[in-house]
Amino acid sequence: MSRAQGEIYVEPCEGIKVEKEPLIILLVNVYGLDDAPLAWRKTIVGYLKTKGFTRSLLEPCWRVRYAPDGTILNMVHLEVDDLFIASNSETSRAWIRETL
């Protein structure tokens, strides 16, 4: 994890077996930290891209997957940590449920 603000040191939680150090370095993003939403967005946008989704020209929060003939198969709207999903058929809906 790279952070513009620098490394984060935390006290180990009770029950975690670590060496007797007073602090440990946090290596992953954690929900609630100021950089977690951006890390999540990069992760989900990257994943959707690998599945054939592209960014909508009309609404930057929408990711769209098209059929070869240009019809829309699926749409995913990203809003912070929520996903709103639309599909044009049962087959397409089943595909996106399995994919996500």
Side-chain angles (χ1 to χ4, degrees):
M1 171 177 82
S2 63
R3 302 182 74 241
Q5 301 90 344
E7 296 177 333
I8 296 178
Y9 294 88
V10 296
E11 292 181 6
C13 299
E14 189 175 310
I16 295 179
K17 296 177 182 177
V18 295
E19 295 179 21
K20 298 284 184 187
E21 294 293 322
L23 297 174
I24 57 176
I25 298 174
L26 191 62
L27 298 176
V28 296
N29 289 299
V30 177
Y31 185 83
L33 294 178
D34 59 345
D35 53 352
L38 178 59
W40 164 249
R41 183 166 188 81
K42 286 179 179 179
T43 300
I44 192 68
V45 166
Y47 178 75
L48 290 172
K49 194 173 187 179
T50 68
K51 297 302 178 185
F53 285 85
T54 58
R55 184 175 161 198
S56 168
L57 296 174
L58 301 174
E59 172 55 60
C61 292
W62 278 105
R63 296 299 187 266
V64 183
R65 186 173 72 99
Y66 295 95
D69 66 0
T71 58
I72 294 174
L73 296 174
N74 302 101
M75 294 173 61
V76 176
H77 184 267
L78 306 171
E79 186 65 40
V80 187
D81 58 357
D82 293 321
L83 302 176
F84 302 94
I85 300 169
S87 300
N88 71 348
S89 68
E90 284 296 324
T91 303
S92 188
R93 185 181 341 180
W95 177 86
I96 199 163
R97 280 186 177 175
E98 185 176 311
T99 300
L100 295 178

